[in-house]
Amino acid sequence: MIAIGCDHGGYQLKQAVIRHLADRGIDFHDFGTYSEESCDYPEYGEAVGRAVASGECELGIVICGTGIGISIAANKVRGVRAAVCGDCFSAEMCRRHNNANVLALGGRVIGPGLALKIVDIFLSTGFDGGRHARRVAKISEIEDRS
C-alpha cells in the first residue's frame, strides 16, 4: 500500500499519480488534499509520514509546489526518510543508497510525464544495504539523539 498526499500546489500532479497507480493495480491510500483550495502542506506531509512510519503503508508519495516544504514536514516524523526527486537518477539512488521511504515531488517543478517515470523508479527500486545500511542507521541515531 502506498500513502499519497499533497497540498493545493500538488493536487493536479497527485491526481495524475493516482491514475497511474490505479492503472498499474497498485493499492494506495489518499490522505488528501482533495481540491485546489489553499491548504497547509504540513498536515499532509505528516499524515503520509505517520502512515509509512507506522507500517500502515509501505512507501509514501508527497507533493506540493516544489516538493520541499512537504518533504520537510514528512521528515519530522521519526523513521521517515523523504527525498525530493526531480530526476530519475535521484529517484533510483535515494532508494538504493538512502532507503528513502517517501518520495517528494514538486507539482510546479516537473511535468506529469517525468513525475510518473520517477514514481515508477522509486516504487520498483530496492535498498542495496551493505555499507549503505550503516549510514542509514546513523541517520536513525541522529533521530534518537534529538
Side-chain angles (χ1 to χ4, degrees):
M1 173 90 57
I2 306 302
I4 188 165
C6 70
D7 72 354
H8 56 282
Y11 177 77
Q12 288 300 322
L13 184 56
K14 184 188 78 166
Q15 296 308 107
V17 172
I18 284 174
R19 285 190 300 275
H20 185 71
L21 296 175
D23 288 348
R24 282 160 177 68
I26 299 171
D27 291 331
F28 61 89
H29 184 274
D30 183 357
F31 286 89
T33 194
Y34 306 108
S35 75
E36 291 183 278
E37 184 175 333
S38 183
C39 62
D40 298 329
Y41 60 82
E43 296 173 32
Y44 306 101
E46 179 183 9
V48 169
R50 291 200 183 282
V52 171
S54 72
E56 174 187 347
C57 294
E58 181 182 350
L59 296 169
I61 301 170
V62 292
I63 310 168
C64 68
T66 63
I68 297 168
I70 202 164
S71 73
I72 292 170
N75 274 319
K76 294 298 180 182
V77 176
R78 182 178 302 278
V80 169
R81 290 174 304 282
V84 181
C85 295
D87 62 88
C88 296
F89 182 73
S90 295
E92 177 184 357
M93 298 314 286
C94 78
R95 292 285 294 136
R96 288 183 57 200
H97 288 189
N98 310 118
N99 201 16
N101 51 14
V102 175
L103 169 65
L105 299 169
R108 296 177 179 156
V109 177
I110 60 173
L114 177 56
L116 300 181
K117 288 178 186 175
I118 290 169
V119 166
D120 287 343
I121 291 167
F122 183 84
L123 296 181
S124 66
T125 302
F127 180 47
D128 284 353
R131 69 185 188 276
H132 305 293
R134 181 181 72 246
R135 295 166 184 158
V136 171
K138 288 184 177 195
I139 293 170
S140 296
E141 290 172 9
I142 293 169
E143 284 181 332
D144 293 342
R145 290 192 301 267
S146 297

